[in-house]
Amino acid sequence: MSAALDRLLRALAAAGPEVDVAPLIDDIESLVEDDPEGSRSAVRSFAGEEGMRLRLVGFLGDARDFDFLAAALADPQLRSTALEGLTNQPDVERVDALARTLLDDADPKVRSRAAGIVAFHARPGALEVLLPLADDPVPQVRMVLGWYLGGLPGRVAEPTLRGLLADPDDQVRAFAARGLARLNRQ
C-alpha cells in the first residue's frame, strides 16, 4: 500500500493546472482511509502544493496533527484549507474554539467555513456567535448561514432564518427556506 500511496502522491505533486486531480485525490483518500496510521508519514511529507498537503493531513483526522493544522491558520492564503482540515479533528472543543475566532475573518470563505464548523458541532452559545453573520456584507456568507442554522438542534435559529427570508439576495432567501425546512424535519 505504501508504494501505491507514494506513487499517487508523486503524481499529484507533479500534476499541472491542466490535470484533473480529482481521481488522484479520490484514490489517495481511499488508501488513507484503509490505513490512516500507515499513510500518515507519506501524507505529512507530501512535496506538492502546501494547501493540498493540509487537505490530505486533515483527511487523516489524527489528533497528533491538530497543532500542524492550527499553525497554518496564521497564513491567510492557507487559512480556509487549514480550517477545512481541522473539521476531521477529534477534539471538537478545540476545533470549535478556533472556528469561533475566525467568524470575523477578512476572507468570506473562511467566515463561511468557520460558521459551518460552529453550527455542525452546535456547542453551547453557537447560535449567539453565528447571529452577526446574518448581517454579513457578503451574500455568500449569509447564504451558507441559512443552511447551517437549519442544522442547529431545536428551533432556536427559526427567528434568524425567518429574517433571512427577507434578505435582498435571492440565494440567501432560498437557503434560508432550506434551513427552515431542515428545522422542520428535526
Side-chain angles (χ1 to χ4, degrees):
M1 197 276 296
S2 179
L5 181 59
D6 287 340
R7 180 182 52 78
L8 289 169
L9 288 170
R10 280 195 306 278
L12 182 60
E18 71 287 347
V19 176
D20 177 14
V21 296
L24 280 172
I25 294 170
D26 289 345
D27 290 345
I28 291 167
E29 288 179 349
S30 178
L31 290 173
V32 169
E33 189 174 333
D34 289 343
D35 183 13
E37 183 59 35
S39 304
R40 187 168 184 269
S41 63
V43 167
R44 285 289 304 256
S45 62
F46 174 67
E49 190 258 328
E50 185 62 13
M52 183 58 68
R53 182 165 77 123
L54 286 168
R55 182 175 176 203
L56 294 170
V57 168
F59 185 75
L60 292 169
D62 191 312
R64 295 173 291 181
D65 295 321
F66 184 92
D67 292 334
F68 170 75
L69 293 164
L73 293 171
D75 184 337
Q77 300 299 317
L78 297 173
R79 190 170 292 138
S80 179
T81 305
L83 193 54
E84 177 184 358
L86 283 164
T87 61
N88 287 331
Q89 283 291 299
D91 190 340
V92 172
E93 190 171 323
R94 285 178 75 192
V95 171
D96 181 73
L98 272 177
R100 289 175 186 228
T101 69
L102 297 171
L103 290 170
D104 63 353
D105 193 84
D107 183 347
K109 187 175 179 181
V110 172
R111 291 193 304 275
S112 294
R113 192 155 298 198
I117 290 171
V118 171
F120 177 75
H121 294 303
R123 300 195 50 79
L127 178 64
E128 291 75 18
V129 298
L130 292 172
L131 286 177
L133 294 178
D135 295 320
D136 197 278
V138 178
Q140 174 75 20
V141 176
R142 297 190 313 273
M143 181 186 82
V144 298
L145 180 68
W147 174 254
Y148 294 142
L149 288 178
L152 291 177
R155 302 197 62 82
V156 296
E158 187 172 358
T160 304
L161 286 168
R162 291 208 181 279
L164 289 173
L165 288 174
D167 194 273
D169 186 276
D170 61 337
Q171 291 282 49
V172 174
R173 292 190 306 271
F175 274 77
R178 290 179 183 142
L180 279 168
R182 288 178 74 195
L183 278 181
N184 291 331
R185 287 192 296 263
Q186 291 184 20

